[in-house]
Amino acid sequence: MQIIKGMQPKPVKGLIYGPEGVGKSSLAAQFPKPLFIDVEGGTSRLAVDRTQRPTSFAHFKQMVGDIVRDQMGYQTLVIDTADWLEKLAVKQVCAQNGFAGMGGNNDYGKSYNELAGMWSDLLTQLEADLIETGKMHVVFLAHSTTKKFELPEEEGQFDRYQLDLEKKVSPLLKAWCDMMLFVNYRTIVVVDDKTKTAKGQGGTRRMMFAEHTAAFDAKNRDGLPREMDLGIGPIKHCFVGLSAKAPNAPTAVAAPAAAAIAGPNPPINPPGMATPETGCSVGIPPMPKKSDAPAAPTSVLQPQHVALQHLLAGAGVTYEQLNAVLAARGKYPENTPLGNIDPAFIEGYINPHWAKVLEMINSAAVAA
């Protein structure tokens, strides 16, 4: 029996949902080399690469098959949107069975079971042919709707945001994805003490939510913060695990005394979306001044090192600050080059505890 230990980087299986117009497609346009299957037909004003608009669910499956055979250099498949794709699937189910609509003709749930089966087959195909093979990231976009919800163990109903999908399709998609982000405007409800009336304020700041709450579903397996400004910066480090070499992947670097590897440029966010982010220099820090001898060549940066660079840049901190925290906790000596950090340590310690690590970095900066 083969035992596989540690984390296994794989492409992203993502689901991003929220109300219309919040910026889901604009966010997806910032993902690594995206290719849109624009089922909804809403990306015409975005400078993105897209396929023709599918005319049926079978046509969509044919497109996926073509992309599986040849990714054409693209790295992220964006399906925009899941609820419009479901409309095509519903039409196919009704046409195949001669139904006027879902649940009609006393079909005893047959139409809904067929619909769920079609989605299950699609998700299995994407998993096997694109995710497991490391060919592409796959991200679904979807609209949200507000519905009444009741917990089995509690009395009473309350409103919450949910996927605008059929009740047998929504659980399949939520279970399939590794990253489920709810995106929305930041709204503050203010209650007047005298009149006891409530008024909503805000709406200009757009947010991503990565943890489940009573108001919406969300999840992630990358240690993301609970709330983030809408933009690629906070989640860029998650897009690793592709089998193909990235176009600008760093190579081995010999680090003389004053050498440093520049970090990635700050992400470019569409106007009005995320707050501006500043770039920073991250990577191999300068060698101590007391030694004039050239440093030994460092090891080749692995995908985990590149992802860590992105993570640091998105948070606006430097590798030197991280290295100081690791040294203070006895994890690595001071001035350890980035390329000498064990990738397993990044995946097993830094990524799962990133919120705590960032807190220690910021605390150390304040103390200094």
Side-chain angles (χ1 to χ4, degrees):
M1 179 184 298
Q2 182 182 8
I3 305 299
I4 301 175
K5 297 183 179 181
M7 298 178 65
Q8 301 293 314
K10 290 184 179 181
V12 168
K13 294 189 296 181
L15 169 61
I16 299 173
Y17 76 109
E20 67 282 354
V22 71
K24 300 181 292 295
S25 299
S26 297
L27 171 62
Q30 302 172 63
F31 294 163
K33 288 196 169 184
L35 174 64
F36 281 70
I37 300 184
D38 189 0
V39 188
E40 183 178 342
T43 66
S44 58
R45 295 184 181 274
L46 294 178
V48 299
D49 292 354
R50 62 185 70 82
T51 67
Q52 65 205 86
R53 190 175 180 182
T55 57
S56 66
F57 191 81
H59 187 197
F60 174 86
K61 290 289 293 291
Q62 179 184 352
M63 288 181 175
V64 172
D66 291 341
I67 294 170
V68 168
R69 287 186 288 273
D70 182 7
Q71 294 79 57
M72 299 170 286
Y74 295 102
Q75 297 180 354
T76 306
L77 177 62
V78 181
I79 300 169
D80 189 1
T81 59
D83 35 298
W84 278 72
L85 178 60
E86 184 185 70
K87 297 178 190 295
L88 296 182
V90 167
K91 286 184 179 180
Q92 183 165 314
V93 169
C94 293
Q96 289 175 348
N97 294 277
F99 296 153
M102 297 292 289
N105 300 337
N106 297 319
D107 70 353
Y108 303 102
K110 177 183 177 181
S111 56
Y112 291 101
N113 289 335
E114 286 192 14
L115 180 65
M118 292 167 62
W119 271 88
S120 180
D121 291 343
L122 170 63
L123 296 177
T124 299
Q125 178 187 11
L126 294 172
E127 174 86 18
D129 295 340
L130 292 179
I131 302 299
E132 290 297 328
T133 57
K135 291 181 177 179
M136 295 186 81
H137 308 288
V138 180
V139 179
F140 283 89
L141 306 183
H143 290 98
S144 64
T145 185
T146 305
K147 295 181 180 179
K148 293 290 184 181
F149 185 79
E150 183 176 1
L151 293 171
E153 70 275 15
E154 299 288 345
E155 294 184 3
Q157 294 183 334
F158 56 95
D159 291 332
R160 74 192 308 265
Y161 294 101
Q162 299 184 50
L163 283 169
D164 192 11
L165 296 170
E166 293 289 352
K167 61 182 180 180
K168 286 196 174 183
V169 173
S170 179
L172 291 174
L173 188 53
K174 290 193 293 185
W176 174 84
C177 65
D178 291 325
M179 177 195 297
M180 180 180 183
L181 302 180
F182 175 65
V183 297
N184 203 358
Y185 299 95
R186 166 68 74 193
T187 303
I188 301 174
V189 179
V190 179
V191 179
D192 190 290
D193 293 335
K194 295 181 179 180
T195 63
K196 302 302 180 184
T197 57
K199 180 187 295 185
Q201 298 179 351
T204 58
R205 187 177 180 185
R206 310 183 199 200
M207 306 294 295
M208 303 186 296
F209 302 89
E211 292 184 7
H212 175 92
T213 72
F216 51 79
D217 288 317
K219 68 176 184 178
N220 78 93
R221 294 172 179 170
D222 297 283
L224 296 176
R226 180 177 180 178
E227 300 181 9
M228 302 162 281
D229 285 314
L230 184 61
I232 186 62
I235 60 175
K236 191 173 184 178
H237 68 282
C238 301
F239 287 85
V240 296
L242 294 184
S243 58
K245 184 178 179 181
N248 298 318
T251 55
V253 177
I261 294 180
N265 293 326
I268 300 174
N269 295 325
M273 288 187 61
T275 54
E277 299 177 56
T278 57
C280 59
S281 179
V282 295
I284 302 177
M287 296 299 289
K289 294 182 179 179
K290 63 181 181 180
S291 175
D292 295 328
T298 62
S299 58
V300 176
L301 295 187
Q302 302 299 317
Q304 293 86 346
H305 300 128
V306 179
L308 180 57
Q309 287 182 322
H310 295 162
L311 186 63
L312 291 165
V317 296
T318 66
Y319 171 73
E320 288 82 355
Q321 292 174 292
L322 171 62
N323 182 234
V325 168
L326 297 180
R329 298 183 65 85
K331 301 297 183 181
Y332 278 91
E334 292 185 8
N335 300 315
T336 298
L338 174 60
N340 290 352
I341 301 294
D342 188 351
F345 177 78
I346 297 174
E347 295 176 343
Y349 178 83
I350 296 178
N351 290 345
H353 306 96
W354 174 242
K356 183 64 176 178
V357 172
L358 183 58
E359 180 182 339
M360 290 188 290
I361 292 174
N362 291 331
S363 298
V366 171

